[in-house]
Amino acid sequence: MTNWNGTRTLILGAARQGIALARWLSRHGSNVTLSDSRSLEQLASARESLADTNVTWAAGGHPLELLDTTNVLCLSGGVPLTLPIVQEAVKRGIPLSNDTQIFMEVVPCKTIGITGSAGKTTTTTLVGKMAQRTKDEGGRMKDEESKNSSAVKSIYPSVFVGGNIGDPLINYVDDMTADDLAILEISSFQLEQMTISPNIAAILNITPNHLDRHGTMEAYTNAKARILEFQTEKDTAILSHDDKGAWNLRNKAKGKLLTFSLNDLDEGFSGAYLHDGLLNLRDGNAYLPLMLREKIKALEQRVMEMVR
């Protein structure tokens, strides 16, 4: 959906995702109602942040009557599908969405989506830093922040990092161009409603997590697998070779399949792997040594400091 003008949207949850989505939808012509279980007094700060919009507030709960004037129901990350108003919306045939889904519907540039039970934030942060690197005419690498001359050529005009971390990227999508790059951390909660996959989708691992929300490992795995479900043959899936939960989804890859491992890769698979303390990259018949394992540990430490 790309034309929100005149629509009636109900958003559940007035945390950072709900507030960002309410602001964006309101600016794009939707009649937005933002519903939260907290009181109006408790929502004072959130209401102030949206004072320049036409958002209507419904505080103190989620009455089913709100659905009577709703075309689309959007859920913030912590809102469970078992909530009575969500179940009633499904019965009425009201479509469900969220800020990441809507972002993916309108984003003009290539996207990288990263999910997993552990390590999402660290990996997303690291990939963002990698993408923000630039080359000068001599081939040396420089940080995007250090660009200070016409000799510096950027790989991407701008790199946006967010999603389930930092600012929701819906805040910036109107400023993005086709040559930019968007990197998202995506949770299983967000993936449950999504019907679009990123151009590059990475699943780091799938281990028991959020079972209070999903109920079973099968349901949780299915939610994670949705990051691959809507890819095409032009897209890329990256799955951990060493994690059974992620690697068992390799048959769902519709385009190029890459992997990563602490061991040598089986013949026929492309990706990154460790051999004799050296990180290597194999892509078909091409092979490239990357860095010593000790440097990987030092790099990880730097990223962890960034995340903190």
Side-chain angles (χ1 to χ4, degrees):
M1 187 168 179
T2 57
N3 182 10
W4 290 89
N5 193 44
T7 59
R8 296 170 296 180
T9 308
L10 175 61
I11 301 173
L12 303 186
R16 61 184 182 87
Q17 293 173 346
I19 290 173
L21 181 58
R23 181 179 295 109
W24 188 87
L25 287 173
S26 177
R27 288 176 178 172
H28 286 262
S30 183
N31 301 296
V32 179
T33 298
L34 188 48
S35 177
D36 196 282
S37 59
R38 290 171 290 175
S39 67
L40 285 175
E41 292 74 18
Q42 292 172 315
L43 293 168
S45 177
R47 292 167 59 205
E48 177 63 26
S49 69
L50 293 175
D52 59 341
T53 70
N54 64 349
V55 171
T56 300
W57 288 86
H62 309 297
L64 300 185
E65 291 76 17
L66 291 173
L67 297 176
D68 295 341
T69 55
T70 294
N71 301 129
V72 180
L73 177 63
C74 296
L75 311 184
S76 297
V79 176
L81 297 179
T82 54
L83 206 64
I85 193 171
V86 179
Q87 294 183 329
E88 178 64 21
V90 173
K91 288 181 182 178
R92 297 190 190 187
I94 297 173
L96 305 183
S97 191
N98 58 47
D99 67 298
T100 303
Q101 166 75 18
I102 292 171
F103 168 81
M104 292 290 293
E105 288 173 347
V106 297
V107 62
C109 62
K110 296 291 186 181
T111 56
I112 299 175
I114 299 167
T115 194
S117 301
K120 295 188 297 295
T121 299
T122 301
T123 304
T124 303
T125 302
L126 177 57
V127 172
K129 291 296 180 182
M130 293 166 63
Q132 288 165 352
R133 302 285 280 180
T134 61
K135 287 184 178 180
D136 65 14
E137 289 183 345
R140 295 181 297 271
M141 300 303 294
K142 293 184 178 182
D143 287 330
E144 187 179 60
E145 293 84 354
S146 70
K147 291 186 290 187
N148 55 11
S149 76
S150 59
V152 177
K153 297 180 179 180
S154 177
I155 298 172
Y156 302 102
S158 294
V159 175
F160 298 85
V161 181
N164 200 45
I165 59 171
D167 280 348
L169 290 187
I170 196 74
N171 282 330
Y172 308 102
V173 70
D174 291 341
D175 298 322
M176 295 181 185
T177 69
D179 295 326
D180 293 332
L181 179 67
I183 304 168
L184 305 89
E185 175 186 319
I186 310 178
S187 72
S188 59
F189 297 172
Q190 294 163 316
L191 286 167
E192 281 182 313
Q193 295 108 48
M194 291 184 63
T195 57
I196 300 178
S197 294
N199 302 110
I200 299 175
I203 302 179
L204 307 180
N205 44 59
I206 301 178
T207 56
N209 201 2
H210 300 305
L211 296 188
D212 56 335
R213 162 77 174 247
H214 296 286
T216 65
M217 271 302 294
E218 181 181 8
Y220 176 56
T221 300
N222 288 340
K224 290 292 190 186
R226 287 179 70 86
I227 199 171
L228 307 174
E229 188 169 337
F230 306 99
Q231 286 195 311
T232 71
E233 67 279 358
K234 298 179 180 179
D235 296 324
T236 300
I238 304 174
L239 306 176
S240 170
H241 189 278
D242 299 344
D243 181 83
K244 183 178 179 181
W247 192 236
N248 283 345
L249 298 175
R250 60 189 180 278
N251 291 333
K252 292 185 176 291
K254 296 180 174 66
K256 186 172 185 177
L257 173 63
L258 297 175
T259 187
F260 55 95
S261 176
L262 292 173
N263 307 292
D264 289 338
L265 295 182
D266 294 336
E267 201 64 35
F269 288 112
S270 295
Y273 62 96
L274 275 174
H275 179 78
D276 288 340
L278 180 67
L279 177 66
N280 305 278
L281 179 65
R282 186 170 76 202
D283 189 359
N285 294 323
Y287 161 83
L288 179 68
L290 297 177
M291 66 178 70
L292 293 172
R293 182 169 188 161
E294 287 70 23
K295 289 189 176 181
I296 301 174
K297 293 179 180 179
L299 183 59
E300 181 184 15
Q301 182 61 37
R302 289 178 59 191
V303 174
M304 292 301 293
E305 292 171 357
M306 296 174 194
V307 172
R308 294 192 196 102

